[in-house]
Amino acid sequence: MRVLLVEDETDLAQSILDYLKNTQKFNCDVAYNLEKATELCVLYEYDCLIIDIGLPDGNGLDLIKSSKANHSKTGIIIISARDAIEDRIKGLNLGADDYLVKPFHLSELNARIYSLVRRLRFDGNSVFVVNEISIDPQSREVKINGKAIELTKSEYDILYYFMSNKNQVISKTSLAESLVGEYVDILNSLDFVYLHIKNLRKKLTAAGCTDYIKTVYGVGYKFQVE
Amino acid sequence: MKLLSKTSLLFITISILIFMFGNIFIFTLSKKMISNHVDTELVYQMHRVIKVINEQKVQNHPIWFTDEVEIKTVSKSINHNPVFTDTVLYNNIQKKFVPHRSLRFIYPLPTQNLSVSIYKSLMSSDKLIERITISTIIMVVIFISMIFIMNRFVFERVWSDFFRNLKKLEHYDVKSHEKLELDPSEIEEFNTLNKVHMRMVERIQDDFISLKELTANTSHEIQTPLAIIKSKAELLLQAQNLDENQLQSIGVILNTTERLSKLSQSLLLISKIENNQFGASQAINIKEILEKFINNYQILFEGGSFELKVELADLKVKMNPVLLDVLVSNLLKNAVTHGTEAGQIQILVKEKELHVGNSGEPLKINSDDLFKRFVKESTNKNSSGLGLEIIRKIGDFYGFNVRYNYHNQLHWFIVDFSNISLNI
């Protein structure tokens, strides 16, 4: 699995690389400008591109165009401070798979890459397994030790988010945002996250699953599998 | 007071004053002249009388020349220079008292003196003065009204450019992107005034634009550094050997950065609305948008922290879809953020209006200030103080009305879409 990160902010690029290395065993390259990125795209065939649109020497949208022309199976995620809807539509029309607005949560980016890569690699047919938990993203079926359990949509989303960010501390905010969507900044109502996690925990342990969900006081949660 | 009324009033007052004094002057002058004339005639009469007395050698008998000459014999001791007096005599023909001017003089005789009084009726001269005065007054009235009418006419001619440009200025909105165009005038002063106005408006507009750009640019540029801070904090969270305090500090950094980023995004959004940077409007059914958001927020209501009451009806409006999303989400967000725990949230669509209500204590601040930037009722640090401003800006942009009221312990925000609603 080979990922190229195109981001002109070196500090941000470093954070993303570090986070991805922590959670996923990717072969990750980084380019700080369009020229380098184009060169790397010619040299290697990437499974996934993470592209910042506003680059010092050009528009990242051009890279999407050229890479889609050459390797149509490459997954593309746009990250940009430009939250203009036109850019988003333009990017998605050019063949980008996803769009994240800066500043985003690393855990959110990670979860998006995870979904995208799984979809591309296994055509979405694979079952996502962590120890005794297995999730079928296609049918949204969750099994513990081979036995199916019934989860609500929110609980399923939380579990999926946890599993793609396993062993990472996840802030309540990022979890809430991934659940409710981009317009939400109801930080004082984060209790709803707690409520759903409590229910999820109950259902998982009732089915004989180890309680992997740890509370990190004042911050959020951690899905600890090690 | 209008310019025309003010000038007319001043003009009339001043002319009346001037003509009044003028009339008094003419009146006294003509009176003086006539009385001089009368006096001269009297003196002439006096010489004639003296001549006649001399010729007739009258010594003892008074002689009556006419009605107007009265001769009396007086003792030798009475003697004086000729004197003029005003007096009133009874006129037998007209049967009334008539003003007269008289000249009395002493004619010396050897044994006694003659006192001669000559009278001259002033009736005709008074009539003359009266006529003169009346005709001057009539002339003055005609003259003033002529000038007044002329003044109005000239005023309208001369000031028309000024008033046209004044109207343009009155209707000009500095926030609009149009340039201020004032009509040129033949009058130099008005042209100078136009130039000054246009230059001033241009400067104000420049300042306004640069202020907006500053907000937009700052908000935009701030996002990348915030993204870096946020990502570093998130990475720090993943370190293995952190104690609880350190974790919590990082959590606070993360949340604060989040708030800052949301804040600048909201400011950016406001400046985008102001700059008309959103695309074309479409026909959208508000009901569908509301259903989408209620569904999105379902997770908030599932836990039972709010009692949700929804009454939807079809309401089609012509609006930019992104702005409608922003409007609806901000209204709901406001209700969720400020709604009391276990309270009610109501979302109603009725008669081209969207009503969003949440339970809560009555406002402590003035409800007019509610829509202002950074005015917050609560000390809730998660409220940006921009949500309602965004709602109002969207309302201003489309020209619909957003109002607030407090009813049955619920805070209501009501958006009246009637001016952009479409028939279903």
Side-chain angles (χ1 to χ4, degrees), chain A residues 50-111:
Chain A
I50 302 157
I51 300 173
D52 181 1
I53 292 183
L55 290 167
D57 58 341
N59 194 317
L61 291 171
D62 296 339
L63 190 62
I64 301 175
K65 233 183 281 176
S66 64
S67 81
K68 271 288 156 186
N70 296 332
H71 317 289
S72 59
K73 286 210 103 179
T74 307
I76 295 172
I77 296 175
I78 297 171
I79 48 172
S80 173
R82 252 188 272 164
D83 55 347
I85 187 119
E86 296 87 53
D87 272 351
R88 185 181 311 202
I89 291 167
K90 222 184 274 173
L92 295 176
N93 280 345
L94 283 174
D97 299 274
D98 215 338
Y99 192 108
L100 260 183
V101 174
K102 272 186 205 171
F104 46 79
H105 294 276
L106 291 178
S107 47
E108 180 68 31
L109 175 65
N110 189 48

Side-chain angles (χ1 to χ4, degrees), chain A residues 1-55:
Chain A
M1 190 77 185
R2 204 166 185 138
V3 174
L4 174 65
L5 170 67
V6 188
E7 166 64 66
D8 60 320
E9 287 293 330
T10 50
D11 290 323
L12 187 61
Q14 198 54 49
S15 304
I16 296 171
L17 284 185
D18 287 353
Y19 196 90
L20 292 184
K21 264 181 207 150
N22 274 344
T23 47
Q24 319 204 18
K25 303 287 170 274
F26 290 151
N27 195 351
C28 214
D29 292 334
V30 62
Y32 298 120
N33 54 44
L34 191 65
E35 196 192 338
K36 184 83 196 300
T38 321
E39 191 188 315
L40 284 171
C41 276
V42 174
L43 285 175
Y44 307 103
E45 188 169 331
Y46 288 101
D47 298 293
C48 182
L49 297 179
I50 302 157
I51 300 173
D52 181 1
I53 292 183
L55 290 167

Side-chain angles (χ1 to χ4, degrees), chain A residues 7 9-12 14-16 18-19 22 81-86 101-108 152 154 158 167-171 173-174 177 179-192 195-196 216-219 222, chain B residues 220 223-224 226-228 230-232 234-235 237-240 244 247-248 250-252 254-255 258-259 261-262 265-266 268 272 277-279 292-293 296-300 302-306 322 325-326 329 333 336-338 341 380 382:
Chain A
E7 166 64 66
E9 287 293 330
T10 50
D11 290 323
L12 187 61
Q14 198 54 49
S15 304
I16 296 171
D18 287 353
Y19 196 90
N22 274 344
R82 252 188 272 164
D83 55 347
I85 187 119
E86 296 87 53
V101 174
K102 272 186 205 171
F104 46 79
H105 294 276
L106 291 178
S107 47
E108 180 68 31
T152 65
S154 318
I158 292 173
N167 296 323
Q168 303 295 314
V169 178
I170 295 163
S171 70
T173 329
S174 76
E177 269 191 28
L179 287 175
V180 187
E182 60 182 311
Y183 293 113
V184 167
D185 48 38
I186 311 163
L187 293 167
N188 66 326
S189 307
L190 290 181
D191 292 342
F192 77 88
L195 211 80
H196 290 284
V216 182
Y217 287 102
V219 185
K222 191 171 183 175
Chain B
H220 186 257
Q223 294 299 330
T224 307
L226 283 175
I228 294 171
K230 210 164 134 181
S231 69
K232 293 294 173 198
E234 246 183 303
L235 269 185
L237 272 184
Q238 314 308 335
Q240 296 302 321
E244 208 168 278
L247 270 174
Q248 273 182 14
I250 300 169
V252 170
L254 207 55
N255 280 339
E258 191 84 27
R259 261 171 62 202
S261 133
K262 288 274 148 66
Q265 275 171 358
S266 300
L268 193 60
K272 272 182 167 177
Q277 283 175 330
F278 285 93
K292 180 182 98 186
F293 273 102
N296 248 355
Y297 285 2
Q298 198 62 48
I299 194 164
L300 297 174
E302 272 173 11
S305 40
F306 296 107
V322 179
D325 266 16
V326 171
S329 70
K333 204 147 66 186
V336 173
T337 314
H338 299 289
E341 196 81 7
N380 184 344
N382 300 308

